[in-house]
Amino acid sequence: MSTWEAALLVAQANDNAYRKNARMALAQARRERLAAQQSGDEATEAKALLDEARSHWEINQFEQSLRRSRSALRLLATRPDPAQTARAWQQIATALLAQGKLTRALQSWLSGLAIASEHHIFPAICESYLGIGNLFLIEDAANRAELAFRYAYDLSEETGDDGYICKTGLYLLSALTQLGWIDQARRILKRLWPLIAAHPNWSPSSRSDYYLYLAACQIADKQHALADDSLAQAADICRQGGLLWGHARVGELTARLQLARGQAQSAITPLNEAIGLAAHFDNGYLLQRLYLVLCEAHEALGDAPAALAAHELYHTARMRLLRDSNERMRILDANLARRVDMELRLHKLQHERARAPTRPGKDACTGFDWLDIDLPAALPQTAKHAAVLAVVVDNLREISLRRSVQAGNQLLAVLADTLRTACPQAHGLRIGGSVLVLLADAATTTLWPKVRLRLEQAARRWSDEDITVRLIMADSLQLDGETATQQLRRTLLATLEAA
């Protein structure tokens, strides 16, 4: 009997016991609901309905779980209870996700988040961001998932809840390792280990996930022997606990480790075992990852037909996940989702600045000085700076979302270098995220037409058929009696009018 077959038997035994307990909980919740109906206690009835919904979900009765959750929502509409309402939306979202209805799951997570945020319900906020981030991972948008997971993790740290610090930290590690941000992943691992070691009764899945993400970092750092040890630890935990997801991930990372060693043939067996295991429970997310690694292994072996077959399997799994992705994009473009996305980005920026011991004088991306629009006193007030040129990347957010944050930073670096080369004597500033400013003397204004042309050429070179860089530019000369701060504000307002 193979390792994964043994794990499957343990998982089936655990599942039988789990279902038995869930059915007992379901019967108890049903009795409580009937008693509440007889006494006319709608609040207790709503809670009992949600308990029933949870039990139905635990025994894979997803449609019944949805019906109970929606019944609870109808009751809560007449007797508002924000915590239970947020819980109802989360239960709906998890049931829809289990059914593969990703778009409707996203709508439900957003609805639950709106209520939880309005009433400052910490657990519901965390769960909502984890759910939204998980959908971003499915969409292959790990950079957006990282923002959502980071928000939940930082909120947990502020609250001091060890359980949620661990849970959200592990979710965050899933995005960080997928993005290849290994330094950040190491810091989270270092933070989580004392918590996991101090709570031996926490779920075995938390411990196995920790070792899996540790192994991913060790593979990236070419610490192959250490990665072997971490994967062995994870495999042992998964075997004892019957953790099918963890066992499949062990297979994936074992294959990646063998590929890193240049032993592509040794990667095939663990991959095939992981695929066979994932077929029992996965809706396509893990399978697509496994098929991609299998394709890579066959390519390394020079087996083009097998690589093509693996890629076709990946494509099938991917299309099944993304069958309604256009509808999800429409939802993500709606006002509520835009506000959520902006909140995530602002939160990350605020936390990064707060954690820095001092704000750096230079922006590492562009080499320009940082200038906060709230700190006008930092502007030079000399007569020398009588001309201003402002350049705004109007669709920087779109570029960062559709390509990556790093791509947006690279574009800013190119534009800054263009400005610096054209006007080496000018003083460069970066304001916020997408605004670059040159402060110069009045004589430099004769160069502005040439500078604008070079910036437009750089933007065209950076653009492609999928996305076009949109630049908004405005320049000004200092008016009589006008301070440098007033001049800068006037120039920036001109860019807004031009947009």
Side-chain angles (χ1 to χ4, degrees), residues 156-286:
S156 301
E157 285 280 19
E158 291 170 3
T159 309
D161 187 308
D162 286 354
Y164 267 103
I165 291 171
C166 182
K167 181 175 184 177
T168 57
L170 290 170
Y171 271 86
L172 179 56
L173 282 167
S174 68
L176 294 175
T177 52
Q178 189 166 324
L179 289 165
W181 297 355
I182 302 305
D183 288 341
Q184 293 187 44
R186 282 198 216 94
R187 289 197 290 271
I188 301 297
L189 287 166
K190 184 178 180 180
R191 172 70 178 96
L192 295 189
W193 176 245
L195 296 178
I196 292 175
H199 295 83
N201 294 326
W202 276 356
S203 69
S205 61
S206 297
R207 302 177 73 85
S208 69
D209 283 349
Y210 174 86
Y211 283 112
L212 288 170
Y213 296 129
L214 178 60
C217 291
Q218 290 164 340
I219 292 170
D221 290 336
K222 299 182 180 180
Q223 298 173 333
H224 297 162
L226 292 176
D228 274 326
D229 293 340
S230 298
L231 288 172
Q233 291 265 25
D236 188 53
I237 295 169
C238 293
R239 182 171 53 252
Q240 294 178 29
L243 305 176
L244 302 187
W245 170 275
H247 241 300
R249 287 279 287 134
V250 168
E252 177 195 352
L253 288 171
T254 300
R256 291 188 183 278
L257 177 57
Q258 297 304 329
L259 286 171
R261 286 172 165 157
Q263 300 173 4
Q265 187 62 54
S266 300
I268 302 297
T269 298
L271 277 173
N272 285 331
E273 288 187 352
I275 289 167
L277 192 58
H280 287 275
F281 64 87
D282 185 55
N283 63 1
Y285 172 68
L286 181 56

Side-chain angles (χ1 to χ4, degrees), residues 182-411:
I182 302 305
D183 288 341
Q184 293 187 44
R186 282 198 216 94
R187 289 197 290 271
I188 301 297
L189 287 166
K190 184 178 180 180
R191 172 70 178 96
L192 295 189
W193 176 245
L195 296 178
I196 292 175
H199 295 83
N201 294 326
W202 276 356
S203 69
S205 61
S206 297
R207 302 177 73 85
S208 69
D209 283 349
Y210 174 86
Y211 283 112
L212 288 170
Y213 296 129
L214 178 60
C217 291
Q218 290 164 340
I219 292 170
D221 290 336
K222 299 182 180 180
Q223 298 173 333
H224 297 162
L226 292 176
D228 274 326
D229 293 340
S230 298
L231 288 172
Q233 291 265 25
D236 188 53
I237 295 169
C238 293
R239 182 171 53 252
Q240 294 178 29
L243 305 176
L244 302 187
W245 170 275
H247 241 300
R249 287 279 287 134
V250 168
E252 177 195 352
L253 288 171
T254 300
R256 291 188 183 278
L257 177 57
Q258 297 304 329
L259 286 171
R261 286 172 165 157
Q263 300 173 4
Q265 187 62 54
S266 300
I268 302 297
T269 298
L271 277 173
N272 285 331
E273 288 187 352
I275 289 167
L277 192 58
H280 287 275
F281 64 87
D282 185 55
N283 63 1
Y285 172 68
L286 181 56
L287 281 169
Q288 65 173 353
R289 292 166 58 99
L290 293 169
Y291 289 137
L292 272 183
V293 184
L294 183 61
C295 178
E296 184 181 343
H298 284 305
E299 285 179 344
L301 291 170
D303 190 344
L308 179 60
H311 195 273
E312 287 176 349
L313 290 169
Y314 158 77
H315 182 72
T316 300
R318 186 74 186 149
M319 292 305 296
R320 186 166 64 247
L321 279 174
L322 300 183
R323 58 180 177 268
D324 58 348
S325 60
N326 288 336
E327 177 66 12
R328 284 197 294 285
M329 290 305 297
R330 184 189 66 78
I331 294 169
L332 289 171
D333 199 45
N335 287 336
L336 175 59
R338 281 177 177 270
R339 286 198 299 271
V340 169
D341 193 62
M342 184 60 69
E343 174 70 20
L344 292 176
R345 294 181 181 280
L346 287 173
H347 168 83
K348 185 173 183 180
L349 181 60
Q350 290 164 356
H351 270 251
E352 286 176 348
R353 290 182 179 179
R355 287 170 179 165
T358 56
R359 176 130 182 214
K362 292 283 187 183
D363 169 34
C365 173
T366 62
F368 285 1
D369 287 340
W370 269 111
L371 176 69
D372 233 322
I373 200 65
D374 296 326
L375 301 175
L379 270 173
Q381 300 290 324
T382 64
K384 168 184 165 182
H385 297 93
V388 171
L389 173 66
V391 182
V392 181
V393 184
D394 189 42
N395 58 336
L396 182 63
R397 177 177 176 274
E398 179 189 2
I399 293 166
S400 297
L401 291 178
R402 293 181 59 182
R403 291 189 180 177
S404 67
V405 175
Q406 289 85 346
N409 287 338
Q410 289 168 5
L411 170 61

Side-chain angles (χ1 to χ4, degrees), residues 32-181:
E32 292 174 359
R33 173 172 58 85
L34 293 174
Q37 284 176 339
Q38 290 175 355
S39 63
D41 186 348
E42 291 185 348
T44 301
E45 182 183 353
K47 180 181 180 302
L49 280 167
L50 292 175
D51 290 340
E52 281 189 72
R54 174 71 184 182
S55 296
H56 280 300
W57 179 81
E58 288 174 345
I59 55 180
N60 296 339
Q61 294 176 347
F62 304 125
E63 196 58 42
Q64 292 93 321
S65 179
L66 282 172
R67 285 201 294 267
R68 293 291 185 266
S69 299
R70 287 166 177 159
S71 295
L73 270 183
R74 285 192 291 271
L75 281 176
L76 291 165
T78 58
R79 297 181 63 87
D81 183 332
Q84 293 298 329
T85 303
R87 180 188 171 197
W89 279 117
Q90 289 168 19
Q91 189 61 55
I92 289 170
T94 54
L96 290 168
L97 184 62
Q99 291 180 323
K101 299 174 181 177
L102 305 186
T103 299
R104 291 166 65 189
L106 175 59
Q107 289 173 314
S108 301
W109 282 123
L110 288 170
S111 298
L113 177 60
I115 295 166
S117 298
E118 180 182 355
H119 297 278
H120 309 289
I121 306 169
F122 160 69
I125 294 173
C126 279
E127 295 294 344
S128 296
Y129 276 119
L130 294 181
I132 292 168
N134 192 42
L135 287 169
F136 285 147
L137 277 185
I138 291 172
E139 293 283 356
D140 202 24
N143 57 325
R144 300 184 77 180
E146 186 268 340
L147 290 174
F149 296 153
R150 173 82 62 181
Y151 192 105
Y153 175 75
D154 288 338
L155 183 60
S156 301
E157 285 280 19
E158 291 170 3
T159 309
D161 187 308
D162 286 354
Y164 267 103
I165 291 171
C166 182
K167 181 175 184 177
T168 57
L170 290 170
Y171 271 86
L172 179 56
L173 282 167
S174 68
L176 294 175
T177 52
Q178 189 166 324
L179 289 165
W181 297 355

Side-chain angles (χ1 to χ4, degrees), residues 454-474:
R454 289 186 180 179
L455 289 169
E456 290 167 354
Q457 290 172 341
R460 281 196 295 273
R461 286 195 299 271
W462 204 89
S463 302
D464 58 28
E465 60 184 13
D466 292 326
I467 193 164
T468 301
V469 177
R470 296 195 303 271
L471 297 183
I472 301 173
M473 291 179 273

